[in-house]
Amino acid sequence: MVDLKSQYLAIKKEVDEAIQNVIDSSVFIQGKTVREFEIQLQEYLQIPYVISCGNGTDALQMALMALGLQPGDEVITTPFTFIATAEVISLLHLTPVFVDVDPKTFNIDPALIEEKITTKTKAIIPVHLFGQAANMQEIQRIANQHSLFIIEDACQSLGTQYIDQQGNTIQTGTIGDIGVTSFFPTKNLGCFGDGGAIFTKNKELAERCRMIANHGSVKKYHYELIGVNSRLDAIQAAILGVKLKYLDDYIKARENAAALYDLLLQDDPGVIIPQRVDYSTHTFHQYTLTVMDGQRDRLKEKLAMNGIPSMIYYPKPLHLQKPFAHLGHTLGSLPVSEKLSEQVLSLPMHTELTPEQQTFIVEKIQEE
Ligand SMILES: *Cc1c(COP(=O)(O)O)cnc(C)c1O
């Protein structure tokens, strides 16, 4: 599905040097290297505050904590995402409210949000799934009208540009009140372990997030609030500092690979290629087909028999998973997500994919 080794080998000298510099400095937690990476990412995203942290899940949790939400408050999100998005809502004794997705984009369907808003609703967490922005114009309109916070889950969309009504391009994760991302190795910008970050334009929220990430303290051994321990370590920051310089090249490589899959598959009646929207670029964290006629599992098996990996993101929507059983959903509650979970199949997608590999993959897809 991914080829992290080849990606590393292409920049080995720079990465090894950056890691060695951290070891030589022996400043492993916080310090200059971490701060330098945060500033580099601030510049890339054109946002005043980046707070790095331990992973994307922590980033989501800390974003909710920073907004001061209270137990019982409701947070609207999508059931067609990685568990982390909704897990942190429940962990903080908030209530996740799932809204079904648009079958074309796999992203939360704004037309279904308003009917789920109650007096307890405090925030919306849209996920820019697979590397394409959710419909932020509509989500922002709804959030403004109902005074809701927006936390963007940009864990799969670092580098994706949202295009607003005026035609301005804005990085995903920098549109709402807070944005979060993950540097898990397979993400658009991956480190060599766990890592994550929070983005915001709001100084006060930035200060709160930074405090929360460091045990609720600004001054050592003096605590302002209950926080957590969630920090990006310096070795990861050094690696990310090197790789961020190549992020646009990596995105270009994924876009090119997606264009070739499109070309080879667009006339295939058995699959629907990933559909694009005019308000976003697509960075293809995943290249995800919708497989018709109940053939998804058969296709996955056929690929496996030919040594081709493929993945199902996601095989069971969150509203039907055990941890959320208390919400009372049943089969049919959120029909689009349920149907997609039986149809989607993600193909190998990474920066090192060659046209020959892709042609082989498509040949096998189309072989009887
Ligand atoms: C990866 C991911 C996360 C969590 O990131 P971690 O760094 O693995 O904790 C959250 N949300 C989405 C949509 C993700 O893809």
Side-chain angles (χ1 to χ4, degrees):
M1 285 301 283
V2 295
D3 184 358
L4 295 174
K5 181 77 182 280
S6 306
Q7 195 191 52
Y8 162 62
L9 290 177
I11 53 169
K12 182 177 185 321
K13 195 164 160 285
E14 261 184 290
V15 169
D16 290 359
E17 218 173 83
I19 293 172
Q20 191 60 51
N21 285 343
V22 174
I23 297 171
D24 290 341
S25 80
S26 291
V27 178
F28 296 115
I29 300 290
Q30 299 190 317
K32 183 167 142 277
T33 313
V34 175
R35 189 65 203 128
E36 278 170 2
F37 168 65
E38 289 177 341
I39 292 166
Q40 195 186 338
L41 190 55
Q42 279 167 203
E43 281 164 8
Y44 179 85
L45 294 172
Q46 296 289 301
I47 187 133
Y49 305 103
V50 166
I51 299 100
S52 60
C53 64
N55 56 67
T57 308
D58 282 358
L60 280 162
Q61 180 186 332
M62 293 192 290
L64 287 167
M65 289 169 78
L67 292 173
L69 304 193
Q70 296 303 313
D73 286 349
E74 294 174 2
V75 179
I76 288 175
T77 194
T78 158
F80 200 65
T81 177
F82 182 56
I83 178 89
T85 317
E87 179 180 42
V88 294
I89 300 172
S90 292
L91 192 68
L92 295 171
H93 304 286
L94 309 168
T95 305
V97 175
F98 292 116
V99 168
D100 213 352
V101 298
D102 177 333
K104 291 201 179 77
T105 63
F106 316 128
N107 277 320
I108 192 166
D109 186 346
L112 304 175
I113 292 177
E114 276 182 301
E115 64 196 59
K116 297 283 182 87
I117 293 175
T118 72
T119 52
K120 290 184 184 164
T121 312
K122 294 291 155 57
I124 307 178
I125 307 183
V127 178
H128 306 304
L129 201 74
F130 302 152
Q132 185 166 243
N135 186 343
M136 292 307 291
Q137 188 192 317
E138 276 301 293
I139 292 167
Q140 281 182 300
R141 183 188 63 73
I142 294 163
N144 286 339
Q145 197 175 333
H146 299 270
S147 303
L148 308 177
F149 295 115
I150 297 175
I151 300 173
E152 296 173 72
D153 182 339
C155 288
Q156 301 186 2
S157 73
L158 196 69
T160 300
Q161 312 248 9
Y162 168 70
I163 301 144
D164 75 7
Q165 257 179 312
Q166 286 76 43
N168 303 311
T169 55
I170 309 164
Q171 292 280 345
T172 52
T174 69
I175 307 158
D177 297 283
I178 303 184
V180 304
T181 204
S182 163
F183 304 123
F184 187 81
T186 58
K187 300 287 161 108
N188 288 2
L189 179 65
C191 59
F192 292 1
D194 274 312
I198 299 174
F199 326 132
T200 183
K201 298 178 276 252
N202 183 310
K203 183 162 186 268
E204 208 180 308
L205 279 177
E207 283 168 358
R208 279 179 70 83
C209 288
R210 203 173 277 289
M211 261 196 286
I212 290 167
N214 193 26
H215 300 291
S217 84
V218 182
K219 195 171 145 207
K220 214 168 189 177
Y221 305 119
H222 292 76
Y223 308 99
E224 308 293 326
L225 41 79
I226 294 294
V228 298
N229 171 16
S230 184
R231 297 176 294 226
L232 184 71
D233 69 71
I235 287 183
Q236 301 308 334
I239 295 161
L240 289 166
V242 173
K243 288 186 73 179
L244 180 53
K245 292 187 284 179
Y246 298 99
L247 180 58
D248 287 341
D249 295 337
Y250 293 154
I251 289 171
K252 193 89 210 118
R254 299 175 103 102
E255 283 171 351
N256 289 343
L260 181 57
Y261 273 142
D262 281 352
L263 186 73
L264 298 171
L265 286 165
Q266 63 192 1
D267 296 324
D268 186 331
V271 298
I272 302 173
I273 61 174
Q275 303 194 46
R276 321 296 208 273
V277 293
D278 56 10
Y279 51 80
S280 177
T281 62
H282 201 325
T283 52
F284 290 97
H285 173 62
Q286 298 297 340
Y287 185 92
T288 303
L289 297 173
T290 307
V291 184
M292 309 312 290
D293 311 317
Q295 294 297 303
R296 195 267 313 270
D297 292 346
R298 218 191 114 240
L299 176 57
K300 187 173 195 322
E301 240 165 74
K302 187 166 70 172
L303 290 173
M305 279 183 332
N306 287 285
I308 300 166
S310 63
M311 290 292 279
I312 298 168
Y313 301 114
Y314 293 91
K316 191 174 185 181
L318 297 183
H319 67 286
L320 299 177
Q321 301 270 3
K322 274 188 211 157
F324 302 111
H326 64 283
L327 298 174
H329 288 286
T330 51
L331 207 62
S333 296
L334 300 167
V336 178
S337 301
E338 292 164 20
K339 184 139 192 246
L340 285 174
S341 69
E342 294 171 353
Q343 294 181 316
V344 288
L345 191 66
S346 299
L347 299 181
M349 170 51 79
H350 54 84
T351 56
E352 316 303 311
L353 209 54
T354 65
E356 293 70 31
Q357 289 172 322
Q358 291 188 272
T359 311
F360 176 72
I361 292 166
V362 173
E363 262 171 33
K364 294 301 166 192
I365 290 175
Q366 293 175 335
E367 205 172 77
E368 275 314 309

